[in-house]
Amino acid sequence: MRILITGGAGFLGSHLADRLLEDGNEIICMDNLFTGSKRNIAHLVQNPNFEFLRHDVIDPFKLEVDQIYNLACPASPVHYQYNAIKTIKTSVMGAINCLGLAKRVNARVFQASTSEVYGDPEVHPQPESYWGSVNPIGIRSCYDEGKRCAETLFFDYHRQNGVDIRIVRIFNTYGPRMSPQDGRVVSNFIVQALRGEDITIFGDGSQTRSFCYYSDLIDGFVRLMEQDKLEGPVNIGNPGEFTMLELAEKVIHLTGTQSRIVYEALPEDDPKQRQPDIELARTELGWEPRVSLDEGLVETIDYFRSYLDS
């Protein structure tokens, strides 16, 4: 198949391109390189089945494709709060442009949504049926509400125009090709540890996250796109729940750093708990994560050690 990946030079987009190329597909990688990087796709540019298109998903585009994976959007607070208006435009107008293309060429279209649609959840763990607890006017709402609106658009295009949609809600994911500057907890802790700096925990360290290794997540994406009975949304994430303090201690142990743990104030609207209910993915897709946090951290630490030395 001929497949468009928006945000294809990003952390997840580039890994998805690897997987889909391995499966024998042709890939068009679209990215404006705001958070994506040519470094992530440098190993693909000589592949005759790979094409890079520098373009902003906010602006209209016309292509002939069989499938679309819409991954275009800054996904870390540092990046999506940098230009909040641009972030919500990317989610909403990007969804409209992808859905419009899918409608024209009769392509199946995938939306990379997020566990942030659940906000600071009052239900734990979070099933897909939970509508969320989101502040619509907070500093994170450009991302949270942008992704919620994108889901609305996907289902309205599906109901009204028969567009063939798939939606995944991504929970915290990590691995090689994360940006050292993205401000996410795994990359922050690892980079601070490797540099021998203090490891910064926001809040008291008791808030939890569930960490999914990138290869497990990408497998969930492809499984959802390759089946015909479920549109989504489907939670894809690792239900193993860890506190921020536990994560910091693991990173200290695995890097062998002498870094100390320091504490700072919790950011506004930062969720206290985050854990996916993955029963739907298990029963309908036969999917569950395989890579443990320790295994994934070792690979990710090796990547960042090489990145920082280069």
Side-chain angles (χ1 to χ4, degrees):
M1 288 186 291
R2 188 168 166 83
I3 301 174
L4 169 66
I5 305 173
T6 70
F11 159 47
L12 292 178
S14 61
H15 284 300
L16 178 62
D18 288 341
R19 167 66 186 270
L20 295 175
L21 285 165
E22 288 170 7
D23 291 346
N25 301 291
E26 295 181 24
I27 300 300
I28 301 172
C29 167
M30 180 189 293
D31 207 300
N32 68 353
L33 300 180
F34 173 59
T35 57
S37 170
K38 287 184 178 178
R39 177 180 180 140
N40 290 339
I41 55 171
H43 62 294
L44 298 177
V45 294
Q46 300 302 319
N47 189 320
N49 290 324
F50 180 83
E51 177 183 351
F52 175 66
L53 175 62
R54 186 163 186 169
H55 184 85
D56 195 319
V57 74
I58 287 175
D59 300 318
F61 46 90
K62 290 186 178 179
L63 297 163
E64 295 294 325
V65 294
D66 302 298
Q67 289 187 348
I68 304 162
Y69 283 83
N70 183 30
L71 274 62
C73 190
S76 70
V78 168
H79 291 142
Y80 67 64
Q81 291 172 18
Y82 175 76
N83 186 337
I85 295 170
K86 176 78 170 180
T87 294
I88 199 163
K89 278 185 173 181
T90 299
S91 284
V92 176
M93 297 170 68
I96 290 170
N97 287 332
C98 287
L99 288 160
L101 175 61
K103 180 184 173 184
R104 283 195 300 273
V105 301
N106 196 31
R108 178 170 289 177
V109 58
F110 173 101
Q111 169 65 11
S113 191
T114 171
S115 61
E116 297 295 336
V117 301
Y118 300 124
D120 192 1
E122 297 163 347
V123 173
H124 190 76
Q126 296 81 57
E128 291 86 353
S129 57
Y130 176 52
W131 291 355
S133 174
V134 176
N135 177 359
I137 58 171
I139 60 172
R140 300 170 67 102
S141 56
C142 58
Y143 183 69
D144 303 358
E145 296 289 24
K147 291 289 191 178
R148 285 162 70 94
C149 186
E151 288 194 16
T152 301
L153 284 161
F154 264 67
F155 271 94
D156 285 340
Y157 267 78
H158 174 63
R159 286 185 287 252
Q160 189 169 327
N161 298 315
V163 174
D164 190 10
I165 66 166
R166 300 290 184 273
I167 298 175
V168 157
R169 290 177 177 163
I170 300 170
F171 283 69
N172 290 62
T173 304
Y174 69 101
R177 300 184 197 161
M178 295 181 80
S179 167
Q181 293 85 34
D182 67 12
R184 300 186 206 190
V185 65
V186 172
S187 50
N188 271 4
F189 285 2
I190 292 174
V191 170
Q192 289 172 335
L194 291 175
R195 288 175 172 164
E197 301 169 354
D198 291 342
I199 292 179
T200 307
I201 289 180
F202 295 98
D204 63 5
S206 64
Q207 67 271 35
T208 67
R209 294 293 184 273
S210 305
F211 301 102
C212 186
Y213 195 57
Y214 81 89
S215 58
D216 285 332
L217 187 84
I218 297 302
D219 183 54
F221 286 6
V222 174
R223 285 179 187 238
L224 183 64
M225 281 291 268
E226 287 182 345
Q227 55 81 51
D228 296 322
K229 60 181 179 178
L230 181 65
E231 290 87 23
V234 180
N235 290 338
I236 298 292
N238 194 320
E241 189 178 14
F242 296 89
T243 67
M244 296 301 93
L245 184 57
E246 286 173 325
L247 176 66
E249 289 170 344
K250 281 183 178 292
V251 169
I252 288 171
H253 172 69
L254 292 170
T255 58
T257 185
Q258 299 300 309
S259 297
R260 299 180 304 116
I261 295 173
V262 298
Y263 297 86
E264 294 189 9
L266 196 66
E268 182 182 335
D269 294 332
D270 193 59
K272 309 299 187 299
Q273 287 183 304
R274 188 57 59 72
Q275 182 188 24
D277 180 330
I278 63 167
E279 189 57 31
L280 184 62
R282 277 198 181 108
T283 56
E284 297 298 330
L285 305 179
W287 178 90
E288 59 185 331
R290 297 178 179 176
V291 180
S292 72
L293 181 57
D294 281 32
E295 290 174 298
L297 284 176
V298 168
E299 296 293 326
T300 309
I301 288 165
D302 287 347
Y303 168 78
F304 275 113
R305 186 173 275 121
S306 173
Y307 186 104
L308 295 173
D309 289 345
S310 63

